[in-house]
Amino acid sequence: MRRVVHCILAPCSFCIVTGWLFFDFAPIALLFLPYVPYDIFRRLRRQREAERWQLALAFRDMLLYLQNGLAAGRSPEGSMEETAKGLEHLYGAKSNIVSECRLMLSQMSNGYSMEKAFEEFGERSKVNEIRQFAEVFLVAKRTGGEIGRVIRQTCNVLQDKLELKRELRTAVAAKEMEFHIMCFIPHGILLYLRLCAPSMSAPLYGNTFGAVFMSGVFLGWFALSALGNHLVRSCISV
């Protein structure tokens, strides 16, 4: 509930402050109302992307547990049960990866094949790594391949891929912080002028030139901010 309230209040407050700083008229924020659902959608999308990233990292550990169980001679169901217990100690009983393991175990006990359970796991999670593993696992089962070797090779590939993604996200995170700071610099400058040097900012408000000029500044700032957010999101979702 607190997260939902924050997602709603943050863009509303931002619109009011922006209307006051750029146009000296807080109620003009009503014109920015379309930005509110966009910002809420953007925040929720970033949250889902973060959850999928954490699930991808947990899936790597899941494969390691599963590989060890199969190497010890356990059945797929027995290996999955041990995997769920290991992940529960590692991530907690309420984590997404443990819930998915328990769901897969329930499906397998009701007659689902292991490859079918992995396929549906990939569709639910919308994580590319899980979908790719499900496809490889399905082909290996149909062609009679050695499941333990397939999982081991997939773990190695997945480890390299996730490590590369982690390095990319770390590099982008630093630039993303710089970008967000730069986005608020115009607001900081205007706030400083309004509070500390009102005589300098007075020509920007209450006249046609000021309205046109500040509208241009606002549109330029908004366009560049949207472009920057799009580039950052594209880099993170690679």
Side-chain angles (χ1 to χ4, degrees), residues 65 69 74 77-88 105:
Y65 277 111
R74 297 189 181 93
E77 292 80 4
S79 299
M80 185 62 70
E81 182 65 37
E82 291 299 319
T83 297
K85 292 179 181 178
L87 293 175
E88 187 172 339
L105 281 170

Side-chain angles (χ1 to χ4, degrees), residues 30-43:
L30 293 175
L31 298 178
F32 305 152
L33 283 181
Y35 171 77
V36 175
Y38 164 77
D39 188 75
I40 294 175
F41 172 77
R42 181 175 62 87
R43 291 171 183 269

Side-chain angles (χ1 to χ4, degrees), residues 19-25 189-199 201-202 205:
W20 177 67
L21 288 177
F22 280 85
F23 303 102
D24 195 29
F25 187 60
I189 294 174
L190 289 174
L191 182 62
Y192 173 79
L193 291 176
R194 295 294 301 271
L195 298 180
C196 301
S199 60
S201 61
Y205 308 104

Side-chain angles (χ1 to χ4, degrees), residues 76-85 98-112 117:
E77 292 80 4
S79 299
M80 185 62 70
E81 182 65 37
E82 291 299 319
T83 297
K85 292 179 181 178
V98 173
S99 299
E100 291 291 347
C101 282
R102 295 298 181 188
L103 179 56
M104 291 175 65
L105 281 170
S106 176
Q107 291 175 330
M108 293 166 66
S109 64
N110 290 328
Y112 271 61

Side-chain angles (χ1 to χ4, degrees), residues 3 6-12 14-15 18 34-52 176-177 179-181 183-184 221-222 224-234 236-237:
R3 184 177 299 174
H6 178 265
C7 287
I8 296 175
L9 289 182
C12 290
F14 179 75
C15 288
T18 299
Y35 171 77
V36 175
Y38 164 77
D39 188 75
I40 294 175
F41 172 77
R42 181 175 62 87
R43 291 171 183 269
L44 293 177
R45 180 177 59 195
R46 292 294 300 273
Q47 179 184 340
R48 288 194 298 268
E49 289 175 353
E51 290 175 353
R52 285 198 292 266
E176 184 182 12
M177 179 61 68
F179 165 72
H180 287 309
I181 293 175
C183 282
F184 283 101
W221 167 83
F222 184 80
L224 292 175
S225 297
L227 177 62
N229 278 316
H230 173 72
L231 293 177
V232 169
R233 185 171 59 87
S234 299
I236 291 179
S237 59

